[in-house]
Amino acid sequence: MVAARTRRTGNRRPRTTTVSLRRASLLIQTIAALFFAAVFHANHWHDLQFAPGDQGNSTVAVSTIGKATDRAVGASAMEERGFTVDILSVGSVTRQELLNAQRRTFASHASVRNFFNVTERDDPDPDCHEKLTMSQTLEISNYCRNQRPVTLVGETYRYIRGLYARWPWLEKKANPVGWMCAQQRPHAGMMKVHNHYKTSGQNLPDYLLVMDDDTYINMKTFEREFGGSGDLRPRRDLSPPAESEPLVMAGCLVRQPVRQLNFTFPFGGFGTFISRGALQELYRPIFCDPTAPDYRQALHEDKCRQLDRDVVKEKHHFKDGMSIMELMHSYVTLPRYTDVRNWDVDNHYCLHSDHAFGVFLNFYNISQHVKDPWYRNVPQARVWSYKDSEIYAKPRGVCKNSLTELGCEAGVEVCHYATPQWMEFETK
């Protein structure tokens, strides 16, 4: 019967063979579709990186995409990319949804090459948030506020320390212990990024953006403004230098009362923009010993002179050949909060993380001097403000953009306290 049926088909293929061919054709089409989708996906993410930390387990916002692209982008790929931005987001294992939202939204922009993040796992003492007690937190506040030994602390440091961790303010926070431990985290993150550049061989980006996990930055606007075609570029009298020149700009700059102290620092929640030229200044080894083979007076003299001023008692941490990045990291991260009872004049940390950035970026001339003529005689006026966005008597410019305070309108350049839902909505 089977033979007869076969004969009746003549030159036509048997039914079973036809079905098999159709299935094979569908399988080939499916594989091809998956291949082209993967290619599109890879191009869309532009080798977005989730670089592991020193412990190898610090990237909490990792996904299958992150795992697949955790590799260095070669110099040729970077040249093809054009304007290049790396992002360092300071977050927490308790708020991973914010890091993930940043990654999915503005960090997916074509200009973004690496998305680094730091959490408790990157802290100098990874168990700080679990071991530090409320009584120790109060002890840190008292130590720093009492400014002891007062005779060994200069005017600048005395003033900044006086602002730090005031207990009536600190105890009202939802998690005072977590807040205290987090003050070293941004600087641990900066060293994590630095180590990545050293070990991967990647070229420095045009800009490194340092921000909190609830910061939102409009990357289309940022690329337009800093990539060469925006309003900031043509006005060379007021606009920032090119990315190859040293520039540090705060999304929102906080200025202390000038009558008390000429000191500024970036409000971390609005982002800090560090140009390639400024990164080179941060990473350059400093030699203050005139007999050292690599000593160059013109190259190192200003930083060595500043080191001798010992503004925040940082000189003790310096070793010849260190970079300012390494000095800042050592100063901030070596003291342990849980060891507060053994703190002394050479081993303590009494700065808010934003204040520490302000000290090292301003006083060590990491950035070009601001062009505001009002501060022409203030040598440490080095951190620029984005479109004149400052907090002095009251916030102005971008400093007004906060979801919990004055609100963020659609299309804003920078928003602080952004929720994952707002980030998603703003990116669509």
mmCIF file of all heavy atoms in Angstrom, residues 1-10 12 14-15:
data_model
loop_
_atom_site.group_PDB
_atom_site.id
_atom_site.type_symbol
_atom_site.label_atom_id
_atom_site.label_comp_id
_atom_site.label_asym_id
_atom_site.label_seq_id
_atom_site.Cartn_x
_atom_site.Cartn_y
_atom_site.Cartn_z
ATOM 1 N N MET A 1 0.824 -1.195 0.000
ATOM 2 C CA MET A 1 0.000 0.000 0.000
ATOM 3 C C MET A 1 0.864 1.252 0.000
ATOM 4 O O MET A 1 0.603 2.247 -0.669
ATOM 5 C CB MET A 1 -0.923 -0.011 1.225
ATOM 6 C CG MET A 1 -1.975 1.095 1.212
ATOM 7 S SD MET A 1 -3.207 0.795 -0.109
ATOM 8 C CE MET A 1 -4.229 2.221 0.083
ATOM 9 N N VAL A 2 1.926 1.190 0.794
ATOM 10 C CA VAL A 2 2.845 2.321 0.851
ATOM 11 C C VAL A 2 3.519 2.516 -0.478
ATOM 12 O O VAL A 2 3.659 3.622 -0.979
ATOM 13 C CB VAL A 2 3.897 2.102 1.947
ATOM 14 C CG1 VAL A 2 4.944 3.197 1.910
ATOM 15 C CG2 VAL A 2 3.240 2.036 3.308
ATOM 16 N N ALA A 3 3.919 1.396 -1.135
ATOM 17 C CA ALA A 3 4.573 1.483 -2.437
ATOM 18 C C ALA A 3 3.653 2.104 -3.471
ATOM 19 O O ALA A 3 4.059 2.915 -4.285
ATOM 20 C CB ALA A 3 5.035 0.103 -2.885
ATOM 21 N N ALA A 4 2.379 1.676 -3.433
ATOM 22 C CA ALA A 4 1.423 2.221 -4.399
ATOM 23 C C ALA A 4 1.266 3.723 -4.218
ATOM 24 O O ALA A 4 1.181 4.482 -5.175
ATOM 25 C CB ALA A 4 0.078 1.512 -4.244
ATOM 26 N N ARG A 5 1.206 4.196 -2.934
ATOM 27 C CA ARG A 5 1.050 5.620 -2.658
ATOM 28 C C ARG A 5 2.248 6.398 -3.172
ATOM 29 O O ARG A 5 2.128 7.489 -3.713
ATOM 30 C CB ARG A 5 0.871 5.832 -1.163
ATOM 31 C CG ARG A 5 0.585 7.290 -0.783
ATOM 32 C CD ARG A 5 0.387 7.429 0.715
ATOM 33 N NE ARG A 5 -0.760 6.630 1.153
ATOM 34 C CZ ARG A 5 -0.983 6.338 2.420
ATOM 35 N NH1 ARG A 5 -0.120 6.717 3.354
ATOM 36 N NH2 ARG A 5 -2.041 5.640 2.776
ATOM 37 N N THR A 6 3.392 5.787 -3.058
ATOM 38 C CA THR A 6 4.597 6.455 -3.535
ATOM 39 C C THR A 6 4.601 6.596 -5.036
ATOM 40 O O THR A 6 4.978 7.604 -5.594
ATOM 41 C CB THR A 6 5.845 5.676 -3.080
ATOM 42 O OG1 THR A 6 5.824 5.554 -1.690
ATOM 43 C CG2 THR A 6 7.123 6.372 -3.523
ATOM 44 N N ARG A 7 4.123 5.577 -5.685
ATOM 45 C CA ARG A 7 4.081 5.640 -7.141
ATOM 46 C C ARG A 7 3.131 6.723 -7.620
ATOM 47 O O ARG A 7 3.373 7.397 -8.604
ATOM 48 C CB ARG A 7 3.660 4.280 -7.703
ATOM 49 C CG ARG A 7 4.776 3.251 -7.719
ATOM 50 C CD ARG A 7 4.385 2.085 -8.604
ATOM 51 N NE ARG A 7 3.177 1.429 -8.127
ATOM 52 C CZ ARG A 7 3.200 0.388 -7.291
ATOM 53 N NH1 ARG A 7 4.354 -0.060 -6.809
ATOM 54 N NH2 ARG A 7 2.073 -0.175 -6.923
ATOM 55 N N ARG A 8 1.982 6.886 -6.879
ATOM 56 C CA ARG A 8 1.005 7.879 -7.312
ATOM 57 C C ARG A 8 1.541 9.309 -7.196
ATOM 58 O O ARG A 8 1.053 10.217 -7.847
ATOM 59 C CB ARG A 8 -0.289 7.748 -6.486
ATOM 60 C CG ARG A 8 -1.151 6.575 -6.928
ATOM 61 C CD ARG A 8 -2.554 6.721 -6.397
ATOM 62 N NE ARG A 8 -2.610 6.727 -4.933
ATOM 63 C CZ ARG A 8 -2.796 5.645 -4.213
ATOM 64 N NH1 ARG A 8 -2.922 4.475 -4.803
ATOM 65 N NH2 ARG A 8 -2.874 5.746 -2.902
ATOM 66 N N THR A 9 2.543 9.536 -6.374
ATOM 67 C CA THR A 9 3.072 10.900 -6.224
ATOM 68 C C THR A 9 3.912 11.296 -7.408
ATOM 69 O O THR A 9 4.238 12.457 -7.595
ATOM 70 C CB THR A 9 3.943 11.000 -4.947
ATOM 71 O OG1 THR A 9 5.032 10.099 -5.063
ATOM 72 C CG2 THR A 9 3.125 10.707 -3.697
ATOM 73 N N GLY A 10 4.339 10.343 -8.214
ATOM 74 C CA GLY A 10 5.169 10.656 -9.375
ATOM 75 C C GLY A 10 6.478 11.274 -8.944
ATOM 76 O O GLY A 10 7.206 10.712 -8.140
ATOM 77 N N ARG A 12 6.761 14.110 -7.320
ATOM 78 C CA ARG A 12 6.615 14.941 -6.113
ATOM 79 C C ARG A 12 7.289 14.278 -4.917
ATOM 80 O O ARG A 12 7.345 13.062 -4.815
ATOM 81 C CB ARG A 12 5.134 15.169 -5.809
ATOM 82 C CG ARG A 12 4.448 16.100 -6.821
ATOM 83 C CD ARG A 12 3.006 16.308 -6.437
ATOM 84 N NE ARG A 12 2.271 15.032 -6.514
ATOM 85 C CZ ARG A 12 1.035 14.881 -6.044
ATOM 86 N NH1 ARG A 12 0.439 15.879 -5.429
ATOM 87 N NH2 ARG A 12 0.418 13.725 -6.160
ATOM 88 N N PRO A 14 7.720 13.009 -1.077
ATOM 89 C CA PRO A 14 6.785 12.478 -0.090
ATOM 90 C C PRO A 14 6.436 13.551 0.942
ATOM 91 O O PRO A 14 7.196 14.465 1.198
ATOM 92 C CB PRO A 14 7.568 11.313 0.556
ATOM 93 C CG PRO A 14 8.637 10.985 -0.430
ATOM 94 C CD PRO A 14 8.961 12.233 -1.151
ATOM 95 N N ARG A 15 5.244 13.417 1.547
ATOM 96 C CA ARG A 15 4.760 14.413 2.517
ATOM 97 C C ARG A 15 5.719 14.583 3.682
ATOM 98 O O ARG A 15 6.001 15.687 4.136
ATOM 99 C CB ARG A 15 3.372 13.979 3.011
ATOM 100 C CG ARG A 15 2.762 14.906 4.071
ATOM 101 C CD ARG A 15 1.399 14.393 4.494
ATOM 102 N NE ARG A 15 0.860 15.229 5.535
ATOM 103 C CZ ARG A 15 0.205 16.364 5.330
ATOM 104 N NH1 ARG A 15 0.026 16.790 4.087
ATOM 105 N NH2 ARG A 15 -0.281 17.063 6.337
#
